């Protein structure tokens, strides 16, 4: 296995590429097979940014390489065009297309450059945040791709119920149908991995080769019909709104791994036991219940021990109905848990979860100043290493813990940065949500959190953002931040924030979400303040009348203004207050580089930091 050593590429006097580090050697002396092995670790755009135009031999290797993995999520529009220009379809093995807000309209742009059936070597395809019309344009010709064995496509609002606990919108409960054409069964029967939220029309399709399946569904109803047609299924992930219809599931002896994520339900241990009886050969089990509706029978280590005897891995996260204390964990301190399985349990407030180095249970954890965290870790010598954690004020821990690998952190912290860093290794944090009480941490963040790239500025009232503007902007310059979210409250009041202050504090922002506007002139001015901007989401100010909104914020007018005044191309998508009203509420823009500097700026800042030309370091 190769490890990622940090080094850069330089050129000597004759233009040959060298590796700069502890040694100097000509990289073009490496065998082609070594380049191919190295390329397996990186996305296509990272490879092109790092190796293009070094010398003729390496350019030749890039042109002949036939296993590129392309991920177009959150990518710059200029980089998108660069990849599409330099890589031929038959060279692509894996492809991710995204119509999310920061790359809005990407699927249409992609299909204007290629036909999906040209990707004859494609093994894996993922279509993210796709509308039904765009999905059909991709899916109708996929049956021609005989090597495709992994397919994923989803709908954003169907996925949202599993990332937002409080989501109860009616729209989320509407079944989705895509009217599968008659040739889809031929395509689906060749897949080994399949992930979708469009499940209603899959119940009669023969998935004879399917090994892994991920479904977004409302209940267990009709899942049984799908399992009947998947005789070789090894891993099943179900993202359910309700734990209903589980009694209809029939025995599935091939299943080895089951993951359940349930958003809104009443559930009991009896339900779990009855369900698991249908999977006699299960050895990996994960379950997460997001709503606070789990009874105290789940806090019974003896009962779980009987269920989990044959499991090789077991993870859970539960919100129970009553507050927990250290005594609630006594049943999880038996030799079975501690010595045989080495499975450790933690609890705080009403949350009960397994201690794991994965991020399975942690997107919604909140620790307040009054919270005590209990754990079954013996002698407390094992470091607790979740990927996500939320802190509020000072943490009261029963023992000495240090969280060493947290990547996503929320702070409502009025103590010192030094105190926070004694509890969390802040050098590992990549995503930070910060409240007004924690704004004082920003001065230290700019020096000590080098991996931080996404910042969410949180506030309870719109006026609190002025605290940041007035007190911290002059002393803070967070050059490492690439994505900034100022939240929807920014447009719900009469305050207009000072863009000069924000652009000073965040000079390298590529993605900005939540900025309020009252006119197209505001949009042009806002975009112009952030020189590295790749995408932006605007909120139309609440004070504008409906008629003015409709006349002022038309996609064609917005795109023309950006081209005329900023000399940039743009793709525009408008979200309306409702589908029927046609009144603009949010405006998403995916921006191109300045038209006069498009080629050179594509190489301005590589995303791949490990291998890059020395003149870009």
């Amino acid at each position: 296995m190769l490890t990622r050593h940090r080094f850069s590429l330089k050129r000597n006097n004759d233009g040959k590429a060298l590796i700069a580090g502890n040694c100097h050697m000509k990289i073009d002396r490496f065998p082609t097979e070594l380049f191919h092995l190295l390329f397996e670790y990186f996305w296509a755009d990272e490879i092109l940014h790092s190796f293009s135009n070094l010398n003729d031999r390496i350019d030749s290797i890039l042109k002949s390489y036939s296993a590129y993995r392309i991920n177009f999520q959150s990518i710059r529009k200029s980089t998108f065009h660069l990849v599409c220009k330099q890589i031929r379809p038959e060279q692509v093995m894996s492809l991710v297309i995204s119509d999310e807000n920061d790359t809005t309209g990407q699927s249409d742009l992609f299909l204007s450059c290629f036909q999906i059936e040209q990707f004859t070597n494609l093994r894996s395809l993922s279509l993210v945040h796709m509308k039904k019309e765009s999905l059909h344009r991709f899916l109708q010709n996929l049956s021609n791709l005989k090597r495709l064995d992994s397919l994923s496509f989803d709908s954003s609002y169907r996925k949202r119920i599993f990332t937002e606990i409080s989501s109860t919108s009616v729209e989320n409960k509407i079944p989705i149908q895509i009217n599968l054409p008659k040739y889809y069964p031929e395509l689906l029967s060749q897949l080994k991995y399949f992930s979708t939220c469009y499940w209603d029309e899959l119940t009669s399709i023969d998935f004879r080769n399917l090994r892994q399946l991920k479904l977004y569904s409302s209940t267990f109803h009709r899942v049984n019909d799908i399992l009947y047609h998947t005789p070789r299924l090894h891993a099943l992930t179900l993202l359910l709104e309700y734990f209903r219809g589980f009694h209809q599931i029939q025995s599935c002896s091939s299943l080895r791994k089951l993951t359940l994520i349930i958003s809104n339900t009443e559930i009991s241990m009896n339900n779990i036991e009855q369900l698991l009886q249908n999977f006699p050969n299960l050895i990996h089990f994960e379950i997460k219940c997001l709503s606070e509706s789990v009874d105290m029978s789940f806090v019974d280590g003896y009962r779980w021990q009987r269920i989990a005897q044959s499991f090789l891995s077991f993870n859970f996260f539960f919100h129970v109905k009553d507050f927990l204390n250290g005594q609630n964990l006594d049943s999880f301190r038996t030799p079975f848990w501690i010595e045989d399985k080495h499975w450790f349990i933690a609890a705080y407030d009403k949350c009960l979860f397994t201690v794991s180095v994965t991020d399975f249970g942690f997107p919604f954890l909140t620790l307040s100043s009054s919270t005590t965290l209990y754990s079954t870790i013996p002698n407390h010598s094992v470091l607790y290493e979740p990927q996500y954690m939320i802190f509020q004020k000072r943490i009261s821990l029963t023992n000495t813990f240090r969280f060493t690998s947290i990547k996503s952190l929320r702070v409502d912290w009025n103590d010192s940065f030094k105190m926070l860093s004694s509890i969390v290794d802040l050098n590992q944090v990549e995503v930070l949500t910060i409240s007004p009480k924690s704004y004082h941490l920003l001065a230290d963040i700019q020096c000590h959190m080098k991996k931080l790239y996404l910042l969410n500025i949180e506030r309870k009232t719109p006026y609190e953002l002025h605290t940041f503007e007035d007190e911290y902007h002059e002393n803070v310059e967070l050059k490492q931040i690439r994505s900034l979210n100022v939240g929807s409250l920014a447009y719900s009041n009469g305050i207009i924030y000072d863009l000069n202050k924000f652009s000073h504090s965040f000079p390298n922002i590529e993605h900005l979400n939540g900025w309020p506007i009252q006119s197209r002139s505001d949009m042009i001015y806002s975009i112009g303040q952030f020189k590295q901007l790749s995408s932006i989401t605007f909120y139309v100010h609440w004070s504008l009348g409906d008629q003015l909104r409709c006349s002022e914020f038309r996609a064609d007018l917005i795109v023309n203004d950006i081209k005329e005044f900023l000399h940039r191309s743009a793709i525009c998508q408008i979200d309306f207050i409702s589908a029927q009203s046609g009144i603009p509420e949010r405006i998403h823009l995916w921006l191109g580089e300045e038209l006069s500097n498009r080629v050179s700026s594509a190489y301005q800042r590589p995303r791949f930091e490990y291998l890059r030309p020395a003149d870009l370091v």
Side-chain angles (χ1 to χ4, degrees), residues 165-294:
I165 298 176
S166 59
S167 177
T168 56
S169 67
V170 175
E171 183 183 33
N172 288 339
K173 305 178 190 304
I174 299 176
I176 301 175
Q177 294 184 347
I178 53 174
N179 302 317
L180 294 172
K182 60 182 180 180
Y183 46 77
Y184 277 20
E186 179 184 352
L187 161 67
L188 298 179
S189 64
Q190 73 188 45
L191 297 179
K192 295 180 180 178
Y193 172 83
F194 187 40
S195 173
T196 184
C197 62
Y198 300 94
W199 51 272
D200 276 349
E201 297 171 289
L202 303 177
T203 56
S204 60
I205 294 177
D206 181 12
F207 291 95
R208 65 177 69 96
N209 294 308
L210 198 65
R211 299 298 184 91
Q212 300 180 61
L213 175 63
K214 184 175 183 179
L215 290 176
Y216 301 83
S217 185
S218 296
T219 67
F220 281 102
H221 293 295
R222 307 189 72 178
V223 172
N224 191 52
D225 295 330
I226 297 175
L227 293 179
Y228 181 78
H229 294 93
T230 54
R232 304 177 68 183
L233 189 67
H234 281 189
L236 173 65
T237 298
L238 293 176
L239 297 99
L240 304 168
E241 290 185 63
Y242 301 100
F243 200 83
R244 297 174 183 167
F246 67 91
H247 57 277
Q248 297 181 356
I249 300 296
Q250 66 177 18
S251 179
C252 181
S253 59
S254 64
L255 200 67
R256 299 294 186 270
K257 180 177 181 179
L258 175 64
T259 299
L260 299 176
I261 302 177
I262 309 161
S263 59
N264 300 293
T265 192
E266 289 284 343
I267 187 173
S268 70
M269 281 291 289
N270 290 334
N271 299 152
I272 299 297
E273 288 178 325
Q274 292 176 41
L275 174 67
L276 294 181
Q277 289 175 0
N278 297 302
F279 309 113
N281 295 315
L282 198 69
I283 54 177
H284 305 284
F285 181 49
E286 297 178 333
I287 180 170
K288 181 193 300 182
C289 295
L290 303 182
S291 61
E292 297 184 17
S293 57
V294 173

Side-chain angles (χ1 to χ4, degrees), residues 448-462:
H448 294 96
M449 298 178 67
K450 298 301 184 181
K451 292 186 178 181
L452 184 66
Y453 72 90
L454 190 158
L455 179 66
N456 300 305
I457 299 179
E458 188 179 68
R459 59 212 181 279
K460 295 180 181 178
T461 67

Side-chain angles (χ1 to χ4, degrees), residues 533-598:
L533 202 62
S534 171
S535 71
I536 186 167
T537 291
F538 293 107
Y539 288 83
V540 180
H541 200 276
W542 66 272
S543 62
L544 297 184
D546 294 347
Q547 185 174 356
L548 180 58
R549 285 189 182 210
C550 294
S551 61
E552 178 75 4
F553 299 108
R554 284 171 32 199
D556 59 334
L557 297 178
I558 292 170
V559 171
N560 287 338
D561 280 357
I562 293 173
K563 183 176 181 180
E564 178 179 356
F565 297 107
L566 298 174
H567 308 290
R568 302 179 70 174
S569 64
I571 296 178
C572 177
Q573 176 181 305
I574 298 177
D575 291 347
F576 302 105
I577 294 177
S578 67
Q580 295 75 24
S581 70
I583 301 172
E585 180 181 31
R586 293 180 297 176
I587 300 170
H588 311 289
L589 292 171
W590 188 26
L591 302 164
E593 307 296 339
E594 288 189 37
L595 298 178
S596 60
N597 196 33
R598 182 170 179 175

Side-chain angles (χ1 to χ4, degrees), residues 70-223:
I70 297 177
N71 185 353
F72 283 145
Q73 284 189 288
S74 299
I75 202 167
R76 297 187 70 86
K77 193 165 178 282
S78 58
T79 306
F80 173 88
H81 287 291
L82 172 71
V83 173
C84 291
K85 180 180 179 181
Q86 294 201 12
I87 295 179
R88 302 185 310 276
E90 62 270 20
Q91 293 179 275
V92 180
M93 184 175 68
S94 174
L95 177 61
V96 181
I97 305 290
S98 173
D99 277 341
E100 293 188 285
N101 294 338
D102 57 359
T103 52
T104 187
Q106 186 182 99
S107 62
D108 290 336
L109 185 59
F110 179 85
L111 289 173
S112 70
C113 301
F114 304 106
Q115 296 177 340
I116 192 62
E117 57 266 33
Q118 294 177 283
F119 292 78
T120 53
N121 194 40
L122 196 65
R123 269 83 158 179
S124 174
L125 175 63
S126 179
L127 305 173
V128 182
H129 200 148
M130 289 287 160
K131 295 181 180 179
K132 187 186 299 185
E133 296 79 10
S134 299
L135 271 176
H136 269 294
R137 294 183 64 190
F138 277 95
L139 299 180
Q140 63 185 354
N141 293 314
L142 284 186
S143 58
N144 296 321
L145 304 181
K146 302 305 180 183
R147 307 187 75 176
L148 186 70
D149 60 18
S150 175
L151 177 62
S152 172
F153 54 91
D154 61 52
S155 167
S156 62
Y157 67 77
R158 290 289 295 189
K159 290 176 64 177
R160 195 176 302 127
I161 63 173
F162 305 108
T163 57
E164 298 178 5
I165 298 176
S166 59
S167 177
T168 56
S169 67
V170 175
E171 183 183 33
N172 288 339
K173 305 178 190 304
I174 299 176
I176 301 175
Q177 294 184 347
I178 53 174
N179 302 317
L180 294 172
K182 60 182 180 180
Y183 46 77
Y184 277 20
E186 179 184 352
L187 161 67
L188 298 179
S189 64
Q190 73 188 45
L191 297 179
K192 295 180 180 178
Y193 172 83
F194 187 40
S195 173
T196 184
C197 62
Y198 300 94
W199 51 272
D200 276 349
E201 297 171 289
L202 303 177
T203 56
S204 60
I205 294 177
D206 181 12
F207 291 95
R208 65 177 69 96
N209 294 308
L210 198 65
R211 299 298 184 91
Q212 300 180 61
L213 175 63
K214 184 175 183 179
L215 290 176
Y216 301 83
S217 185
S218 296
T219 67
F220 281 102
H221 293 295
R222 307 189 72 178
V223 172

